């Protein structure tokens, strides 16, 4: 029975569609379940952000073969697309090439084993997976031989609170708080920030991108101010590696942010762990866990990382690291608390497996709460997973991945204990022959 069932892939983003292409290339049927209305629905939400790398590193090898059969050609390899362009020029054609194997408007709300809850051992591995899907017509159940969850973390941004929980008053301040890089090309969004004081909370490339954008707006709209709120005790390496970064655009972003700070366009507040958001006539007031209050701001942009939504997987036996919520074998390789000089070790099906055979987290979701995921990392992950599902264990183990230098030669450590929560600017700095693109939208640079 299981041999006739498809591999269920959750999410029609870059990694999910690549997973389907890899599975199909191995001669296995695949079904992609996407809750959005189109391919790359999450990518399109940060479509105004330009990626760090060129088209050369944005296309899955298996996907390119599938697309090429229909006459598709890769865009200019030296061009740097926006998220919207990536979705329109690559993800949409890829979904079309996969055809009916991709289902839109299909939200996965639960995964289990047929007739076996989480605590039942008897005959568990012989049963297919059950995937509960919610559509506009209601709920349905589909069976699958394996499940590859590539749904990402975009829908679960980190809160303002320095303890990982929403700050007191954060929910009530929803009208003033955004968890996305503002699209200042949109007139309505621009009006929200122009001439106002905005607090940007976070230390990663997302925060740098927002700061650079607001500094640019300040040149055109008098009164526009940005306050950079850092949990860490000092700015330290938050600007990244500069000229030492093998992703030139990423290094340039850090230099532009540093220039804005030096010019006085951005005020910096360090050692501030938000505990409360108070409401005053002048706007929102951020208060830290020691009682320190900042001057009122009109808007707050919280860019404090992302986390996986594991609720639909409550009946699956997951093996997750207690800190990162990443697979236990992968977590030590990506933990920003201990990761220092070196690269992320090449990894695939072995590191991504769980106590539930045939179930894999992949893509951004595989990294749990760890920052700086790479597109080519995801493409290699799903290549290995597809090989394992097809029984090619030698192919699954033959994983090759080299990451670009960030130019930052220290991890978070004790001096930077919150860097992981704030989506730190890396901490992996080993040799790499080529630059690759960072898919998480904050890791990109605006024009």
């Amino acid at each position: 029975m299981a041999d006739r069932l498809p591999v269920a892939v959750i999410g029609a983003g870059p990694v999910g569609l690549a997973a389907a292409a890899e599975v199909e290339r191995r001669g296995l049927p695949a079904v992609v379940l996407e809750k959005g209305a189109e391919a790359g629905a999450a990518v399109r939400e940060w479509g105004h952000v330009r990626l760090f790398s060129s088209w050369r590193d944005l296309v899955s090898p298996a996907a390119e073969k599938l697309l090429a059969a229909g006459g598709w050609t890769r865009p200019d390899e030296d061009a740097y697309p926006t998220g919207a362009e990536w979705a329109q020029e690559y993800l949409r054609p890829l979904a079309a090439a996969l055809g009916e194997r991709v289902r839109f408007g299909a939200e996965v709300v639960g995964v289990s084993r047929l007739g076996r809850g989480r605590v039942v051992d008897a005959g568990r591995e012989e049963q297919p997976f059950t995937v509960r899907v919610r559509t506009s017509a209601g709920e349905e159940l589909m069976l699958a031989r394996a499940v590859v969850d590539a749904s990402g973390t975009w829908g679960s941004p980190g809160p303002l609170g320095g303890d990982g929980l929403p700050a007191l008053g954060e929910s009530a301040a929803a009208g003033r708080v955004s968890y996305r890089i503002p699209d200042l090309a949109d007139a309505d969004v621009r009006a929200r920030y122009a001439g106002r004081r905005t607090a940007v909370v976070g230390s990663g490339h997302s925060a740098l991108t927002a700061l650079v954008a607001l500094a640019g707006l300040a040149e055109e709209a008098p009164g526009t101010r940005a306050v950079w709120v850092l949990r860490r005790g000092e700015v330290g390496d938050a600007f990244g590696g500069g000229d030492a970064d093998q992703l030139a655009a990423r290094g340039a972003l850090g230099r532009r942010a540093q220039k804005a700070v030096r010019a006085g366009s951005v005020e910096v507040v360090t050692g501030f762990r938000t505990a409360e958001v108070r409401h005053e006539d002048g706007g929102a007031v951020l208060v830290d866990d020691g009682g320190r209050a900042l001057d009122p701001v009109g808007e707050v942009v919280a860019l404090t990382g992302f986390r996986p939504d594991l609720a639909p997987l409550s009946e699956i036996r997951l093996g997750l690291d207690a800190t990162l919520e990443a697979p236990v074998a992968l977590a030590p390789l990506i933990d920003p608390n201990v990761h220092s000089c070196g690269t992320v070790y090449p990894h695939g099906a072995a590191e991504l497996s769980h106590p539930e055979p045939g179930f894999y987290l992949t893509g951004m979701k595989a990294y749990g709460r760890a920052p700086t995921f790479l597109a080519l990392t995801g493409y290699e992950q799903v290549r290995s997973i597809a090989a394992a599902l097809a029984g090619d264990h030698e192919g699954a183990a033959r994983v090759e991945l080299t990451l670009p230098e960030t130019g930052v030669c220290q991890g978070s450590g004790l001096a930077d204990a919150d860097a992981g929560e704030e989506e730190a600017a890396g901490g992996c700095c080993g040799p790499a022959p080529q630059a690759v693109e960072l898919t998480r939208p904050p890791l990109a640079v605006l024009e």
Side-chain angles (χ1 to χ4, degrees), residues 7-256:
V7 175
V9 178
I10 306 175
V15 177
L17 293 177
E22 291 285 0
V23 167
E24 291 283 338
R25 188 173 70 86
R26 289 283 180 169
L28 302 176
V31 173
V32 181
L33 302 167
E34 167 58 50
K35 70 176 181 180
E38 56 188 339
V43 174
R44 293 174 189 274
E45 289 192 25
W46 50 268
H48 59 291
V49 180
R50 189 166 296 281
L51 296 161
F52 278 141
S53 289
S54 68
W55 277 106
R56 181 179 295 104
D57 301 307
L58 294 175
V59 178
S60 155
E64 185 162 22
K65 290 179 181 178
L66 179 63
L67 287 165
W72 182 88
T73 57
R74 185 197 302 253
D76 180 3
E77 289 192 345
D78 296 322
Y80 294 76
T82 62
E85 291 166 344
W86 194 22
Q88 184 67 22
E89 298 178 35
Y90 168 59
L91 299 179
R92 183 178 180 182
L94 179 53
L98 288 165
E100 295 182 354
R101 289 163 285 193
V102 183
R103 294 183 55 191
F104 297 111
E107 180 183 5
V108 174
V109 294
V111 182
S112 187
R113 290 278 189 178
L114 182 62
R116 304 291 188 274
R118 181 172 180 162
V119 301
V120 179
D121 287 332
R124 185 177 188 83
E125 293 186 21
E126 287 71 44
Q127 296 302 311
F129 288 93
T130 58
V131 182
R132 187 73 58 86
V133 182
R134 180 186 295 147
T135 70
S136 59
E139 287 193 346
E140 62 182 73
L141 195 70
M142 68 169 287
L143 301 181
R145 69 170 71 194
V147 176
V148 179
D149 187 346
S151 58
T153 58
W154 177 249
S156 304
L160 272 174
D163 58 3
L165 299 174
L168 295 176
E170 183 172 343
S171 297
R176 292 186 182 275
V177 182
S178 170
Y179 302 89
R180 306 288 187 255
I181 299 171
D183 180 5
L184 299 182
D186 182 300
D188 292 336
V189 175
R190 189 182 184 86
R192 177 174 172 175
Y193 295 93
R196 308 185 77 183
R197 193 165 182 265
T198 297
V200 176
V201 183
S203 67
H205 291 92
S206 51
L208 297 185
T209 301
L211 292 171
V212 168
L214 289 169
L217 179 60
E219 296 178 359
E220 304 172 11
T224 304
R225 298 287 300 169
V227 182
W228 188 14
V229 182
L230 294 161
R231 293 171 181 166
R232 55 173 68 187
E234 57 184 20
V235 174
D237 59 14
F239 291 117
D243 292 337
D245 196 321
Q246 289 192 356
L247 293 179
R250 185 171 62 184
L253 171 63
R255 291 194 299 272
R256 292 174 68 187

Side-chain angles (χ1 to χ4, degrees), residues 323-373:
T323 301
L324 295 183
E325 295 181 301
V328 290
L330 176 62
L333 313 178
I334 60 175
D335 188 347
N337 289 299
V338 297
H339 211 34
S340 186
C341 283
T343 62
V344 174
Y345 176 109
H347 64 279
E351 290 82 4
L352 299 170
S353 63
H354 294 273
E356 196 78 71
F359 180 88
Y360 297 93
L361 295 176
T362 188
M364 193 61 247
K365 196 164 185 175
Y367 269 41
R369 299 193 184 198
T372 59
F373 179 80

Side-chain angles (χ1 to χ4, degrees), residues 258-396:
Q258 189 173 38
K259 181 179 178 181
V261 170
R262 288 176 174 171
S265 300
V266 175
E267 175 189 344
V268 180
V269 176
T270 59
F272 192 98
R273 294 174 174 82
T274 306
E276 184 179 359
V277 183
R278 295 175 182 168
H279 307 276
E280 298 184 1
D281 292 340
V285 175
L286 301 185
V287 183
D288 75 2
D289 51 12
R292 178 171 48 150
L294 302 183
D295 291 336
V297 295
E299 300 290 337
V300 180
V301 179
L303 300 169
T304 55
F306 294 82
R307 53 188 59 179
D309 178 8
L310 301 173
L313 308 179
S314 62
E315 295 306 310
I316 292 296
R317 295 178 176 180
L318 299 176
L320 297 177
D321 175 73
T323 301
L324 295 183
E325 295 181 301
V328 290
L330 176 62
L333 313 178
I334 60 175
D335 188 347
N337 289 299
V338 297
H339 211 34
S340 186
C341 283
T343 62
V344 174
Y345 176 109
H347 64 279
E351 290 82 4
L352 299 170
S353 63
H354 294 273
E356 196 78 71
F359 180 88
Y360 297 93
L361 295 176
T362 188
M364 193 61 247
K365 196 164 185 175
Y367 269 41
R369 299 193 184 198
T372 59
F373 179 80
L374 304 173
L376 290 185
T377 300
Y379 297 159
E380 183 61 14
Q381 286 178 345
V382 296
R383 185 208 61 77
S384 176
I385 289 170
L389 293 176
D392 179 7
H393 300 296
E394 180 181 347

